[in-house]
Amino acid sequence: MRIERDELPPLPDGERVAGAKRRSGEGAAPTDPTKRNAGATARARKLRVNETEAEYRLWGELRGRHLNGYKFVRQVPLGPFITDFVCREKGLIVELDGSQHADSPTDPARTAWLNGHGYSVLRFWNHEVLAERRAVLDTILACLDGKISTPSPGLRLAPATLSPLGRGGKLR
C-alpha cells in the first residue's frame, strides 16, 4: 500500500515531515493559544461522564442557575486547558482539586494563563466540597458578587489580570 505525503502521521514529537500537509482538524495544535486544542471537546465529554464525587455534588448545586441565577457550565475547554466549572458572565472558574494537585508544578502556570485571558480562578479541595458544601457555595457566591476579589493563598483565589471584556472583546 502506498502512503501519500498528505497522509503521513506526525512524528513522535508532533512535528511533520517537511512538505507534508495535515488533513484539516486532525491533531492540529492551534496557532492561536486562545483556541481549543484538537480533541479537547471529546476529552471534556469524557470528563463529564467520569466525574468525581465532589464534581457531581457541586454540579448539582451549580447547574440550572441554582446559585442565585448564575449560569455555570462544566468541563469547558479554554485554550489548552479543560476547566471544571465556568461562570462566563462573571469570568469565574471554579476548580476542584484532588491530592494530585497538592504540589503540582503546572497549576500556577495554568492559573496564570487563565488569569491573563480574563478569568479568575477559585480552587477548592475535593474534601472541602464533600464536607463543607454550604461554605464552598457561599465563597463562590461572594466571588461572583464581588465581595471577594483580592488574591488569597489561603482561599486559593487568583483574580483575573485582564478585564472580562479583554477576552476577545465579549463575554464568552
Side-chain angles (χ1 to χ4, degrees), residues 133-151:
R133 194 167 331 132
R134 185 76 255 156
V136 167
L137 292 168
D138 288 344
T139 303
I140 294 169
L141 193 54
C143 288
L144 291 167
D145 290 340
K147 295 175 183 172
I148 301 174
S149 59
T150 56

Side-chain angles (χ1 to χ4, degrees), residues 58 84-85 91-97 111 115 119-125 136-144 148 152 155-159:
L58 187 58
D84 289 338
F85 303 99
L92 179 67
I93 293 172
V94 177
E95 289 287 312
L96 301 186
D97 296 336
T111 298
N115 288 162
Y119 293 94
S120 296
V121 179
L122 180 60
R123 294 181 172 278
F124 295 100
W125 295 107
V136 167
L137 292 168
D138 288 344
T139 303
I140 294 169
L141 193 54
C143 288
L144 291 167
I148 301 174
S152 169
L155 182 59
R156 299 176 65 208
L157 170 66

Side-chain angles (χ1 to χ4, degrees), residues 2-3 10 12 24 28-29 35 43 46 56 58 77 80 85 87 101 110-111 116 121 133 151 156 164 171:
R2 184 168 178 252
I3 297 177
S24 64
K35 302 296 182 197
R43 282 194 317 276
K46 284 182 184 176
Y56 174 79
L58 187 58
F85 303 99
C87 176
H101 288 272
R110 171 188 172 99
T111 298
V121 179
R133 194 167 331 132
R156 299 176 65 208
L171 292 174

Side-chain angles (χ1 to χ4, degrees), residues 14-32:
E15 293 182 21
R16 301 195 57 84
V17 175
K21 296 178 184 173
R22 183 181 309 278
R23 289 176 285 193
S24 64
E26 283 192 16
T31 54
D32 180 355

Side-chain angles (χ1 to χ4, degrees), residues 40-116:
T41 302
R43 282 194 317 276
R45 285 183 182 134
K46 284 182 184 176
L47 288 171
R48 288 182 204 126
V49 171
N50 298 320
E51 61 193 348
T52 65
E53 183 179 354
E55 289 171 338
Y56 174 79
R57 300 286 178 204
L58 187 58
W59 180 238
E61 303 285 349
L62 297 177
R63 69 185 306 171
R65 299 181 184 265
H66 289 297
L67 189 63
N68 282 19
Y70 289 106
K71 180 178 175 65
F72 278 87
V73 290
R74 66 182 176 140
Q75 303 301 343
V76 178
L78 290 176
F81 305 107
I82 297 177
T83 59
D84 289 338
F85 303 99
V86 180
C87 176
R88 290 182 175 128
E89 173 189 354
K90 294 292 186 173
L92 179 67
I93 293 172
V94 177
E95 289 287 312
L96 301 186
D97 296 336
S99 59
Q100 73 274 16
H101 288 272
D103 294 316
S104 173
T106 58
D107 281 351
R110 171 188 172 99
T111 298
W113 189 93
L114 293 165
N115 288 162

